[in-house]
Amino acid sequence: MPFPNARDVHQDSVLTNLSVQYRNEEYIAAQCVPKVLVRKASDKYYEFDQGDWFRDEAGERAAATTGPVGGYSLSTQSYDTKQYSMATYVADEERDNADAGLDLDRQAIEYCADKVQLRFETQAAGLLFKAGSYPTGHQKTLSGAAQWNNASSKPIADIRAAKSQIGGAIGRQPNTLILGEQTYLQLQDHPDVLDRVKYTQSGAVTPDLLAGLFDVNRVLVGRAVQNAAAEGLDPSYKRVWGKHAALIYTAPMPGLRTLSFAYWFVWRGYDFTAERWRKSDGGASDGFRVRAQWDSKIAAKTAGYFIENAVA
């Protein structure tokens, strides 16, 4: 006698409590490049002459004299913001026919916001992990046995030398170490690092542990990936931050008379603004858009040091 099996008594349907979405877990660009909200799309800002402030000119003063007199010069630098945006549409029919568990309006905004965030992440990585952003003496390219995936390499010495170079130029120590994901993974297993932490840490080598080892406030690991292929082609995924490392001094709070390797000038009112509108051509759909207007640029080159090709 035949009996119904499990497939006969159940028809597959879409789950309402689970869906799979692909997004980068974390972006680090905004932590590397402090945000400055500006009132105009383009403008200038003052820059003090570094040499004037580090010159030792104070001296003895004789009675009835003015004593040593000095001064400092000012120049201006410019920023020029550009607007970046992403938009998509949700048709009424799609919204009305969507299964439980899908929030198409919310997903549209999240999709657009993530696209704009990814653009800033890739732009910041291209700015911070580029030899041209650093002056002579503040960059180093590793190769062969010197790369940190090699057990005989000296990552601790390399980073200390970079810190010394920055400190000797700006009078303060860098506070942020930026690592590409592949660089970070190699440092976790490097024998010099493991030897230094073996008596203080029983678990994995974490970014916080590396921050303590290298005496910086924080270690940021760039883990974002992007699809470099055009729509319709097979995906070609690559890591946004590459196999490099950079030490920088980042202003804890941007403002007057502050120093930072780079700044992110964001036009006030266009700081990841989310918009929704009704399509006017009778298309029976709503448009969703996220836009932001910014300029990211190096502000103090000597406040950073770039280690290119830190790992193979």
Side-chain angles (χ1 to χ4, degrees), residues 101-158:
L102 289 177
D103 186 341
L104 298 184
D105 293 352
R106 176 177 176 178
Q107 288 163 198
I109 288 294
E110 290 179 349
Y111 169 80
C112 293
D114 192 68
K115 289 288 188 180
V116 180
Q117 284 183 296
L118 180 58
R119 167 52 63 97
F120 179 54
E121 190 83 358
T122 57
Q123 189 180 103
L127 187 70
L128 298 176
F129 277 8
K130 182 177 72 172
S133 297
Y134 299 80
T136 302
H138 285 248
Q139 52 187 276
K140 183 177 184 179
T141 301
L142 302 183
S143 62
Q147 291 177 295
W148 298 345
N149 53 286
N150 192 299
S152 63
S153 63
K154 303 296 180 184
I156 297 176
D158 289 337

Side-chain angles (χ1 to χ4, degrees), residues 146-222:
Q147 291 177 295
W148 298 345
N149 53 286
N150 192 299
S152 63
S153 63
K154 303 296 180 184
I156 297 176
D158 289 337
I159 291 175
R160 283 182 173 176
K163 289 184 62 180
S164 178
Q165 186 74 7
I166 295 172
I170 67 172
R172 63 186 74 186
Q173 292 297 304
N175 56 14
T176 303
L177 173 62
I178 308 166
L179 303 171
E181 167 81 352
Q182 292 140 300
T183 306
Y184 169 64
L185 293 176
Q186 293 296 334
L187 277 180
Q188 281 186 306
D189 294 328
H190 196 281
D192 284 1
V193 172
L194 294 176
D195 185 63
R196 293 294 182 94
V197 303
K198 63 184 178 183
Y199 298 115
T200 59
Q201 180 77 11
S202 58
V205 176
T206 64
D208 287 342
L209 189 64
L210 289 177
L213 175 63
F214 296 128
D215 192 21
V216 293
N217 291 355
R218 57 187 180 174
V219 171
L220 301 175
V221 181

